[in-house]
Amino acid sequence: MFRPGQIKIVTVVGARPNFMKAAPIIRAIRDHNEKQEGPSIHHLLVHTGQHYDEVMSDRFFADLGLPKPDVYLGVGSGSHAAQTAQVLEKFEGVLLREKPQAVIVVGDVNSTLACALVAAKITFDSAGSRPMIAHVEAGLRSFDRSMPEEINRIVTDHVSDLFFVTEESGFQNLCNEGISPDNIHLVGNTMIDSLLAFSSKADASAILDELGLRANIEENDASESIRRYALLTLHRPSNVDDRGAFLEILEGLEELAANYPIVFPVHPRTQQRIREFGLGNHIKMNPTKMKNGVQGVGFVDGGITSTSPLGYLDFLCLMKHATIVVTDSGGIQEETTCLGIPCVTVRENTERPVTVESGTNIVAGTSKEGIRNAIRRQMQGKSGGGMPKNWDGQAATRIIDLLIRTHVNRGLSLQTQVSKSCA
Ligand code: UD1
């Protein structure tokens, strides 16, 4: 129940990569309220339902200890336009009913863009007041507008008021686009907050045993060791929606697959494409056992072996112990940087240059030669460099402190658009 004097904040999640970024923010709000210093926060969690099933959503809520959403919009899958339109319409009703002083959006998925846009154009009263929009993970740019996420990042940033950035490039990109540095804060990375908070819990995951990735080092040696293996994820439309592009990547992985088992938790989009394109002969569908409703848990013995998408803790455990990670995900580039695990990014660019500067990540491109060469370099070289600034597990605490400070200094609700200018 909202009490006078409280600040009402809505946080939006929609798709898988949002959940681990929002969880620390919700924890930081709870910690702030427990301290009883300054105004308390009345918090509402809104789940748009962009990702909606057990493997893409529910298991993440369980693994990350996320509370049940206060509001569930149930938008589901659809074209970008249809999905975005549904969030726009449904989230407007939530804002008109709740009239929060701030809306927190995270990352770059369709739900992020849609909710920021609604909040930017809503008016609660005749004075035209609306909530302040805080974008977590602002300012990242791949400079590749063929990526739906790049459009989402640009539009979200240009309707937001407060910008929480994960790396220096984010700060610079926003300044270059005319956003006032006064509103940009290099707070660190809430996804890394989650990684650090759940790292030891992930050690208790049984996934290495379930995939047969533990082995005795030598005969007569009772001590168990973890086998060398690679971890693979692919889901970008540009990589998996075209048969030729997908096949090229699989060919780039052949040499690695000949030497090490590759574990491949397959995103639903990619699953559909493997079936459609008849690429099953390149990827072993694991002799499946069913565990907790998850298909594809069973012994991995070489080549590329698929599993269904994994939960947060199982995937983190696999990342921690992998010899190499090959991916087209944004977030995994950052998680491997934090873990010091060599990563090969199967894309032409990255919006997260700090992961390359830190020495863990190579952007390989999408040709088979590029992928093969990057894997060879990673298998020979030493990975791991410096940890990016403020990737220390405290990003969410900084965000909540800054939101409270902004509220105390100038109020969170806005009467007019904040004017923005470059320093
Ligand atoms: C979305 C995000 C992307 C993020 C990715 C992580 C956008 C533009 N894209 O892409 O940035 O990296 O999530 O997963 O927001 N599906 C299920 N179950 C679900 C959700 C989806 O089976 O719970 C299926 C859908 O039916 C669809 C496919 O997965 O066929 C793609 O889902 P969608 O949310 O449209 O986009 P993603 O490719 O997941």
Side-chain angles (χ1 to χ4, degrees), residues 139-416:
L140 297 180
R141 297 288 182 270
S142 64
F143 303 101
D144 172 3
R145 290 202 182 197
S146 69
M147 281 178 82
E149 293 82 0
E150 181 75 351
I151 306 295
N152 293 345
R153 289 189 279 262
I154 294 168
V155 178
T156 302
D157 282 337
H158 284 269
V159 297
S160 291
D161 307 296
L162 261 185
F163 306 85
F164 297 118
V165 302
T166 51
E167 58 172 280
E168 291 284 353
S169 76
F171 199 101
Q172 211 43 59
N173 293 332
L174 291 171
C175 273
N176 292 345
E177 291 173 23
I179 288 168
S180 166
D182 295 346
N183 298 325
I184 312 170
H185 305 279
L186 177 50
V187 290
N189 192 327
T190 61
M191 195 180 55
I192 300 304
D193 291 2
S194 276
L195 186 152
L196 297 173
F198 286 96
S199 179
S200 41
K201 208 168 172 197
D203 290 335
S205 157
I207 193 74
L208 294 170
D209 301 291
E210 285 162 5
L211 294 173
L213 291 169
R214 286 193 202 276
N216 292 337
I217 309 176
E218 288 168 13
E219 264 180 69
N220 307 326
D221 183 351
S223 68
E224 267 202 324
S225 156
I226 295 164
R227 294 168 63 197
R228 283 164 74 77
Y229 64 90
L231 182 61
L232 170 69
T233 79
L234 293 170
H235 78 281
R236 296 243 152 265
S238 55
N239 283 341
V240 302
D241 284 1
D242 176 80
R243 189 178 192 278
F246 198 167
L247 192 57
E248 177 89 7
I249 294 169
L250 292 174
E251 286 171 2
L253 290 164
E254 272 169 7
E255 187 176 280
L256 181 67
N259 294 308
Y260 299 100
I262 302 181
V263 182
F264 183 21
V266 187
H267 185 281
R269 163 192 290 285
T270 314
Q271 265 166 11
Q272 284 171 24
R273 299 297 175 252
I274 292 171
R275 275 195 299 271
E276 238 173 88
F277 298 152
L279 292 173
N281 54 332
H282 292 263
I283 301 156
K284 277 182 280 179
M285 300 299 177
N286 218 5
T288 50
K289 285 191 255 161
M290 292 288 286
K291 188 174 170 283
N292 302 330
V294 180
Q295 206 174 18
V297 178
F299 195 71
V300 171
D301 61 356
I304 302 178
T305 306
S306 69
T307 75
S308 64
L310 297 174
Y312 182 72
L313 296 173
D314 287 342
F315 191 79
L316 176 51
C317 178
L318 279 177
M319 253 190 314
K320 283 179 79 170
H321 297 286
T323 305
I324 186 169
V325 174
V326 181
T327 189
D328 62 3
S329 147
I332 293 171
Q333 297 172 54
E334 295 181 336
E335 289 171 325
T336 47
T337 289
C338 177
L339 294 168
I341 302 287
C343 177
V344 168
T345 297
V346 183
R347 281 176 44 188
E348 301 297 341
N349 50 53
T350 180
E351 60 288 334
R352 292 159 158 95
V354 79
T355 61
V356 177
E357 289 150 21
S358 83
T360 49
N361 188 21
I362 296 179
V363 180
T366 50
S367 71
K368 56 176 170 263
E369 295 79 19
I371 295 166
R372 196 168 43 227
N373 290 338
I375 291 171
R376 282 186 192 158
R377 274 169 62 202
Q378 287 290 41
M379 296 303 281
Q380 284 156 8
K382 264 192 142 347
S383 218
M387 189 73 88
K389 187 173 174 196
N390 284 342
W391 288 21
D392 57 0
Q394 298 303 314
T397 307
R398 292 188 189 100
I399 288 169
I400 296 309
D401 285 352
L402 282 157
L403 272 174
I404 301 277
R405 227 181 307 152
T406 308
H407 172 72
V408 169
N409 292 342
R410 55 175 165 154
L412 285 176
S413 291
L414 299 178
Q415 307 273 279
T416 51

Side-chain angles (χ1 to χ4, degrees), residues 15-17 50-53 55-57 77-78 80 83 108-111 148-149 152 235-237 267-269 272:
R16 184 171 65 174
Q50 176 177 343
H51 286 176
Y52 44 83
D53 61 22
V55 292
M56 297 299 281
S57 175
S77 299
H80 284 258
Q83 199 171 55
D108 57 11
V109 301
N110 288 341
S111 301
E149 293 82 0
N152 293 345
H235 78 281
R236 296 243 152 265
H267 185 281
R269 163 192 290 285
Q272 284 171 24

